[in-house]
Amino acid sequence: MARLLMLSNEILLEIISYLRSEQSPSLHNSPFIYFPRELKQANRVAAESVKNLYSVALVCNRLYNVAVSVLYNQIPLLTNYDRSLIFVLTLERAPHLSAHIRHVDISVSRGYNPDTIDFYSLFWLPNVHTICIRDFNSWHGWKFDNQDHVRTSPVKILKLLNCGAHEEPLAEVLSWPESLQELWYDANQVEWSGSYEGQDPVEFTCSAVERAMSSQAGCLEKLVFTRRGPDHEGLGYSDLLNVRKYGKLKSFCVNAVFLLGLDPESVRVWEHLPKSLEELDICYDDYMYASITGPEDMTPAWLSGMLDKMVAGRDESDARGGFTPSLERVRLTSLEWSPVYEEDEEDESGSEDSVVTSDFEIDETKAVGYPGSTWRPSLRLRQSFIKAGVSFSIFLHQQRRYRYVVNGGHGFRDNWEDTWDPEREAVDGLYWISR
């Protein structure tokens, strides 16, 4: 120990930093709808590493003073309400610790209780960058004397898990960051139906969330908009989400229920997307009501319409049309197919391709699918993507997946399709979102 303490603080800090695991809540290992589970798992790992750091900090005053910046850099309390409450109270008693905090993950209520921990002050920690809040279910906002606090928080990334907060409190929280870059919103639609005695329930609507997010419409670059797994098919279909005015939005990950609704063939989805959009990631989590493979040739009208608009623009003065000129890649994910449904699987794509005549050739060497499988999306759909200059990925199952990067294009940074196995998510033969 004496030799260890002979080292400089800088070297000690470097050594101690290795005791802290790096949290990697991302879309890299599975479809984006599973991000709440990924975050909770990362929190558990991070919480274990905190124990080691805490042991080091207790050795002596010098090691405490060195380790405290690493110990408080990330607060991994996403799955622990009691410790989240203790953490908030600790900051009130020891505000000097707040300068070390960059990343906070907390749980703010017990189950579906609308009464939450008062987490307001966390948004004004001097160096905070990312806040992740679980079970934010408030029905009413805060009461402030004025609006001086609006658009003054340094938070850049906000993740709301299992969020049942109604429009007023949701809008208030989203108004605090000065310039929010990423919003990950995991809606608890059922919680919106709660009400006090003598009051009518307020149902979840996309338009209400749109209004709540409007204060950040000119700032957001990434929006993940998903929900808890539906308790039954068809739950939570309301109006549709429109992010056309989000002028800096580059990445949009959204459940099909929110963007396309129950009748996607009638949706002019290209009118709901911003010109700045570069990647669109759509997941069908309610495939008993809405699925990719509804049409016979698996070419959704909303999608072909959007791609046709892009191609039409190329023949005019505008090189990429006026709707989604920056779009580079699209991914469609649905767990609607399983080999257990088709014991004697046949190649369904070959017969369709044989009746489509076209001089437009597709370089299949650029495609990646399941090894040994001849399955691929319809020829019409593949051609539409390639003519529009948009790379694409379609995933129905590990044995039915296909991704393609067009010439000069860019695919998704993460290719979880190549390794992720949806069978691991199966419960009683049905695919389910484990939260």
Side-chain angles (χ1 to χ4, degrees):
M1 176 59 67
R3 291 184 178 180
L4 178 64
L5 295 178
M6 291 175 62
L7 298 174
S8 67
N9 286 351
E10 290 76 11
I11 294 176
L12 284 174
L13 180 61
E14 183 69 21
I15 294 172
I16 291 173
S17 297
Y18 283 102
L19 296 176
R20 192 68 191 255
S21 66
E22 290 295 327
Q23 187 190 35
S24 55
S26 68
L27 312 179
H28 299 303
N29 302 317
S30 60
F32 70 84
I33 59 174
Y34 294 96
F35 93 81
R37 184 189 60 189
E38 297 287 343
L39 278 171
K40 287 191 286 186
Q41 178 59 30
N43 253 243
R44 294 187 184 100
V45 174
E48 286 300 314
S49 70
V50 166
K51 295 178 181 179
N52 297 326
L53 277 170
Y54 189 64
S55 298
V56 171
L58 291 177
V59 171
C60 64
N61 285 337
R62 186 183 172 202
L63 285 182
Y64 171 82
N65 291 332
V66 173
V68 68
S69 63
V70 182
L71 184 63
Y72 279 89
N73 180 267
Q74 177 197 344
I75 308 300
L77 300 175
L78 193 64
T79 60
N80 195 314
Y81 169 82
D82 292 328
R83 290 187 178 180
S84 295
L85 178 58
I86 293 172
F87 163 70
V88 172
L89 295 176
T90 298
L91 285 186
E92 292 179 1
R93 301 185 184 117
H96 64 281
L97 297 173
S98 62
H100 303 296
I101 300 172
R102 291 276 295 167
H103 187 140
V104 182
D105 297 348
I106 62 171
S107 173
V108 298
S109 69
R110 294 182 183 277
Y112 297 102
N113 190 335
D115 297 325
T116 66
I117 294 174
D118 190 0
F119 56 82
Y120 161 83
S121 60
L122 300 181
F123 278 74
W124 280 270
L125 298 175
N127 297 307
V128 69
H129 179 271
T130 302
I131 293 182
C132 181
I133 300 172
R134 182 185 178 203
D135 296 334
F136 173 36
N137 296 321
S138 294
W139 295 348
H140 299 288
W142 285 256
K143 296 184 183 300
F144 296 102
D145 294 334
N146 54 56
Q147 297 295 307
D148 293 346
H149 60 287
V150 173
R151 301 298 293 272
T152 60
S153 165
V155 171
K156 297 298 182 183
I157 299 176
L158 178 61
K159 298 182 173 75
L160 302 174
L161 279 67
N162 191 32
C163 181
H166 289 193
E167 181 180 348
E168 179 188 359
L170 181 61
E172 192 156 6
V173 169
L174 291 175
S175 75
W176 296 341
E178 178 183 6
S179 179
L180 194 64
Q181 295 175 352
E182 295 186 15
L183 173 62
W184 299 48
Y185 176 67
D186 172 42
N188 181 352
Q189 295 169 282
V190 174
E191 182 63 21
W192 281 64
S193 297
S195 64
Y196 291 108
E197 185 177 355
Q199 297 182 356
D200 294 330
V202 179
E203 298 298 334
F204 175 93
T205 63
C206 286
S207 56
V209 180
E210 269 183 50
R211 291 191 295 270
M213 296 191 302
S214 61
S215 60
Q216 301 296 333
C219 308
L220 281 179
E221 298 178 9
K222 182 182 183 71
L223 175 60
V224 179
F225 197 116
T226 183
R227 66 172 181 175
R228 288 176 56 86
D231 294 331
H232 60 82
E233 296 85 356
L235 172 68
Y237 283 83
S238 62
D239 53 352
L240 302 181
L241 192 65
N242 189 328
V243 292
R244 184 66 176 171
K245 296 181 180 180
Y246 288 64
K248 292 187 178 180
L249 192 64
K250 296 180 179 180
S251 176
F252 187 27
C253 305
V254 61
N255 287 41
V257 58
F258 298 129
L259 187 65
L260 306 172
L262 271 174
D263 186 20
E265 303 309 299
S266 64
V267 178
R268 296 167 61 89
V269 69
W270 53 89
E271 296 180 353
H272 296 175
L273 302 175
K275 293 184 178 182
S276 58
L277 193 66
E278 296 178 1
E279 66 178 35
L280 178 62
D281 196 343
I282 298 177
C283 185
Y284 292 77
D285 71 335
D286 202 359
Y287 55 83
M288 298 297 289
Y289 271 60
S291 65
I292 299 175
T293 56
E296 293 182 358
D297 65 351
M298 210 182 88
T299 309
W302 66 266
L303 180 57
S304 60
M306 180 175 68
L307 297 173
D308 289 346
K309 288 287 182 182
M310 296 175 69
V311 174
R314 290 187 167 188
D315 298 329
E316 302 169 359
S317 58
D318 187 349
R320 291 294 297 273
F323 291 99
T324 51
S326 303
L327 192 63
E328 295 182 356
R329 49 196 169 271
V330 172
R331 175 157 54 202
L332 305 177
T333 303
S334 180
L335 305 182
E336 62 199 61
W337 183 88
S338 170
V340 301
Y341 300 151
E342 300 182 23
E343 296 181 359
D344 300 318
E345 180 189 1
E346 298 178 357
D347 178 16
E348 299 177 358
S349 58
S351 58
E352 183 221 341
D353 288 357
S354 65
V355 299
V356 176
T357 58
S358 174
D359 56 1
F360 184 89
E361 295 184 1
I362 296 177
D363 183 1
E364 290 292 344
T365 62
K366 297 180 178 296
V368 177
Y370 184 73
S373 173
T374 59
W375 182 86
R376 54 190 182 272
S378 71
L379 178 59
R380 178 187 171 193
L381 184 57
R382 284 176 286 149
Q383 288 181 344
S384 295
F385 273 116
I386 296 170
K387 287 180 179 179
V390 177
S391 301
F392 62 99
S393 174
I394 296 177
F395 186 96
L396 305 181
H397 187 273
Q398 184 58 216
Q399 298 178 25
R400 286 202 170 187
R401 54 182 170 87
Y402 185 98
R403 60 182 176 88
Y404 191 103
V405 178
V406 299
N407 288 329
H410 302 281
F412 283 85
R413 181 182 64 170
D414 51 292
N415 294 317
W416 56 259
E417 304 97 317
D418 296 348
T419 56
W420 185 68
D421 184 3
E423 299 290 350
R424 298 172 186 170
E425 316 299 336
V427 177
D428 296 331
L430 294 175
Y431 301 116
W432 202 249
I433 300 176
S434 175
R435 296 298 179 97

